[in-house]
Amino acid sequence: MQSYTIGQAARLLGVSPDTARRWADAGRVATHRDDTGRRLIDGRDLAAFSVAVGQGAHAEDEEPYTSARNAFPGIVTAVKPGDVAAQVEIQAGPHRLVSLLTREAVEELGLEVGMQATARVKSTSVHIDRT
C-alpha cells in the first residue's frame, strides 16, 4: 500500500503542510515513521480522512481548495468495477469526483483505493490520470 508524506497529503487534501501536520499532531489522521524518521500516512487512512474533510469535517478558517485548469489531484476513495464499466471516486480536497470508465481502463491504470490520481474535467466528461 502506498504511503504519503505530510507534504504530499497536504497537497492532496488542498491544505498547507502546516495544517496537515497539525491534524496529524492532533491525532485526526494516523501516521507512522519510515526508516529515515519521516512521518507517513497510509493511503487507506488518507483516503478515509479526505472523505471526512470533503464532507466538512475541517476548521472554518482554512483556505478553500482551488483547482487550476480543470485538474483535480486527489486520492482514490472508491473503485467499483462492473462487468464492462467501473465507477471511480476521487477526493480532491473538498471535492468528490466520480467517473465512469471502462473496467479495462481501471485495470490498465491499476487504480485502487488509497492511490494518488488526478481527475481532469472537460465539458461533461471526467478523465482520470494516474499520477
Side-chain angles (χ1 to χ4, degrees):
M1 171 52 55
Q2 185 168 351
S3 292
Y4 297 90
T5 65
I6 296 290
Q8 290 170 324
R11 186 177 61 79
L12 293 170
L13 293 168
V15 299
S16 71
D18 286 336
T19 297
R21 197 171 296 110
R22 282 193 305 273
W23 285 344
D25 291 344
R28 290 186 62 190
V29 62
T31 63
H32 62 278
R33 296 212 182 253
D34 67 5
D35 296 337
T36 65
R38 292 184 312 165
R39 285 199 304 180
L40 301 175
I41 302 170
D42 179 74
R44 289 191 184 274
D45 292 339
L46 183 58
F49 183 70
S50 69
V51 170
V53 168
Q55 293 172 345
H58 54 85
E60 292 180 19
D61 62 343
E62 294 167 13
E63 297 205 15
Y65 180 81
T66 62
S67 67
R69 296 190 174 101
N70 300 324
F72 294 84
I75 188 165
V76 176
T77 58
V79 177
K80 300 171 186 169
D83 291 336
V84 177
Q87 178 179 313
V88 176
E89 295 181 24
I90 292 179
Q91 193 72 38
H95 307 290
R96 177 179 167 259
L97 297 116
V98 179
S99 180
L100 295 175
L101 54 161
T102 65
R103 181 183 180 134
E104 180 181 9
V106 169
E107 291 170 354
E108 285 178 8
L109 291 170
L111 294 175
E112 61 182 44
V113 171
M115 76 183 320
Q116 206 173 332
T118 300
R120 298 197 186 275
V121 179
K122 180 173 177 168
S123 186
T124 59
S125 301
V126 175
H127 303 267
I128 305 294
D129 295 338
R130 181 175 174 180
T131 50

